[in-house]
Amino acid sequence: MIRRAVLLLAVMAAVSPAWAVEARGSLASLPGVKLWYTDTGGQGVPIVLLHANTGTSAVWAKQNEAFAQAGYRVIAFDRRGWGKSVADPASGPQSGSIAGDLDALVTYLKLGKFYLLGVAGGGFAALDYAAWHQEHLRGLIVAASTGLFSEPVMTDFTKRIAIPGLEKLPGEYIELGLSYRGADPEGTARWNEIEANARQPGAPAQPLRTPNTFAKVETIEVPTLVVVADADLYAPQALMRVWAGHIKHHEWVVIDDAGHSVAWEKPEAFNAAVLRFLRGRSAASEGAR
């Protein structure tokens, strides 16, 4: 009986795809922080995921699975003061920038060139990093993000579309689209659970390394995918088109009937759009050889 059970486990291990294993979490001791990150492992091209101002690396479960299944090594981390990442003043200055912590993690993991994906507030940091260290990137994906640009055309636009009192409401009303909240109460409950355990009490927001400006992102040469959620209360299409127009080599995708948390709400459509972009980059690289 024992031999039969061992044989069954061996067969299951042989036929189970590597991507079926959940991303493993670890703490990296970096300057100023013990940074919690997850990593699906493997020899695939890395893709690093940056979560929004809400949530943690836990929001990427569907992306971990889909991108790992497609052959990529998927890495995500909790920003400093969020989730399981703990500020460590004894080892470095506070509060640092997300881009700075990302760069330290890239060095710690000895990553080669990788893809970088940021949603919402993670998109602010993705643009910040890409303008700083694009030599490390194969490509950039920014979704559902205002980009936190300092130009008056952007700040004035944001003021005009602001909904009075919205910021005082629970996060789900701001971040999740109406259709999603109505159709998926379990997913909404799980999103709320993650958000309730996201930002640590009193944790300061990390600044950008340098303010995001049109001139700054015009220096980004790597291929870029801009993903828009068409029911986004924060970053509507017209607003995102303003800054996206300053990215030299960008593609544009709209996800229908999705709110600000587009990767969580519409993972199939979101993942398919990202994978089309990644495969396009791989095909272009092969063709250039």
Side-chain angles (χ1 to χ4, degrees):
M1 191 72 176
I2 294 176
R3 289 180 61 189
R4 185 177 300 175
V6 171
L7 179 61
L8 178 60
L9 288 172
V11 171
M12 290 175 65
V15 300
S16 295
W19 57 264
V21 179
E22 289 187 6
R24 294 184 177 182
S26 301
L27 277 173
S29 294
L30 305 177
V33 63
K34 296 185 185 302
L35 198 75
W36 175 263
Y37 71 96
T38 62
D39 188 348
T40 61
Q43 300 301 311
V45 172
I47 177 169
V48 179
L49 313 178
L50 301 179
H51 69 76
N53 292 343
T54 51
T56 66
S57 58
V59 302
W60 298 116
K62 295 289 187 180
Q63 285 69 45
N64 287 336
E65 180 178 312
F67 299 159
Q69 181 183 6
Y72 295 91
R73 177 184 176 184
V74 191
I75 298 162
F77 65 89
D78 295 349
R79 65 175 59 178
R80 189 184 303 206
W82 266 250
K84 299 177 182 179
S85 289
V86 182
D88 184 15
S91 68
Q94 303 298 319
S95 59
S97 66
I98 302 169
D101 287 346
L102 167 59
D103 194 53
L105 182 64
V106 167
T107 300
Y108 176 86
L109 295 176
K110 299 178 181 178
L111 296 185
K113 294 186 75 169
F114 63 95
Y115 290 102
L116 180 60
L117 187 161
V119 171
F124 308 166
L127 291 166
D128 193 27
Y129 184 86
W132 178 34
H133 273 317
Q134 61 184 306
E135 73 277 8
H136 295 167
L137 299 181
R138 292 172 177 264
L140 173 68
I141 303 102
V142 178
S145 186
T146 67
L148 197 65
F149 284 88
S150 57
E151 272 83 2
V153 65
M154 295 293 291
T155 56
D156 290 347
F157 194 126
T158 301
K159 289 176 183 177
R160 289 194 296 271
I161 65 172
I163 301 172
L166 186 65
E167 296 286 350
K168 297 179 181 179
L169 295 176
E172 67 181 278
Y173 298 108
I174 305 169
E175 302 285 335
L176 299 175
L178 293 174
S179 292
Y180 180 78
R181 286 194 284 114
D184 194 342
E186 291 183 3
T188 300
R190 176 57 181 153
W191 186 94
N192 279 323
E193 180 184 13
I194 293 171
E195 170 57 8
N197 295 286
R199 189 171 184 173
Q200 297 157 17
Q206 291 180 278
L208 298 176
R209 283 191 70 256
T210 59
N212 281 347
T213 65
F214 294 159
K216 175 179 168 178
V217 300
E218 284 168 0
T219 66
I220 297 173
E221 299 280 352
V222 297
T224 301
L225 176 66
V226 179
V227 181
V228 182
D230 81 340
D232 192 335
L233 296 178
Y234 271 156
Q237 291 192 51
L239 177 62
M240 289 186 65
R241 283 193 186 278
V242 176
W243 68 256
H246 293 271
I247 304 288
K248 292 177 182 176
H249 309 291
H250 81 273
E251 301 176 22
W252 179 268
V253 171
V254 179
I255 306 296
D256 292 336
D257 202 20
H260 198 52
S261 294
V262 58
W264 178 271
E265 295 179 43
K266 290 290 185 79
E268 293 83 7
F270 180 85
N271 296 345
V274 171
L275 287 171
R276 281 195 300 271
F277 173 76
L278 300 184
R279 289 166 181 152
R281 305 286 65 74
S282 296
S285 296
E286 289 295 328
R289 291 179 181 177

